[in-house]
Amino acid sequence: MSVFELRDVKYVYRSPYQQVEAIRGISCSFESGAVTAVMGTSGSGKTTLLSLMAGMDVPTAGQVLCEGVSTDEMDLERYRREKVAVIYQDFRLFPLLTVAENVMYPMELQGMRPAAARDRAAALIGRVGLPETALDRFPAMLSGGEQQRVSIARALGMGTKVLLADEPTGNLDTANSDKIFQILSALAHEDGYCVVIVTHDPSLGGRADRLLYLQDGLLTE
């Protein structure tokens, strides 16, 4: 089932001195239960595309639709809080919060009581292959691969079925990269998530269910 749809999406960066057409008319759909990888060179428009899908901005022209509703008709703050979760290359964990507190954070924003949020955080930490003892550690006490797993658990705590991953293995070695891909793949195939990965890594892209190439703001399959 299609969760995301891009309809002739265009995006232009404007300044007093120039304008750059970063996305030049993309139409594409993204399905639940599948991993889609988007590859392209630097400057091809990958970051802009992910930013539009994440609701950080709206297209200059065209539409980004989530569950049939265009983002330009939504409260973008609520959309980012409830409809999509983004996993970043640099993890973006809160350094002064424990693992449990990091994972609980989006749940508590949505009104879940702390005790229930703690129980769910423990379940999600287990879902990404970390021991329950990790809950009371701080991010600096974990390896890069472990921190990325925590960031995935936090994303799952948002309750959305859409995961957007921006170079999720860019800071990891081969073994940890493989583990992160296995987790994301299982979330798609076993739990029905729509997973979109932006990556430079051809070994990662080649293992996705679907591989798209972005070049000069245009998408090919």
Side-chain angles (χ1 to χ4, degrees), residues 93-150:
L93 300 175
F94 299 113
L96 299 182
L97 299 184
T98 65
V99 165
E101 290 165 338
N102 267 281
V103 179
M104 291 165 62
Y105 181 75
M107 305 180 218
E108 293 183 317
L109 283 182
Q110 295 174 6
M112 186 179 291
R113 293 186 176 183
R118 170 86 185 197
D119 288 343
R120 179 153 168 73
L124 292 175
I125 282 297
R127 181 69 180 83
V128 298
L130 290 175
E132 191 168 347
T133 53
L135 287 169
D136 296 315
R137 299 175 186 168
F138 291 92
M141 301 166 68
L142 305 177
S143 69
E146 290 170 333
Q147 289 186 61
Q148 190 61 290
R149 294 194 215 181
V150 174

Side-chain angles (χ1 to χ4, degrees), residues 187-208:
L187 289 168
H189 300 154
E190 298 172 13
D191 299 323
Y193 282 82
C194 173
V195 178
V196 181
I197 301 174
V198 167
T199 181
H200 281 98
D201 185 352
S203 65
L204 194 68
R207 296 167 63 189

Side-chain angles (χ1 to χ4, degrees), residues 13 85 152 166 216-217:
Y13 289 102
I152 294 173
D166 185 9
D216 298 328

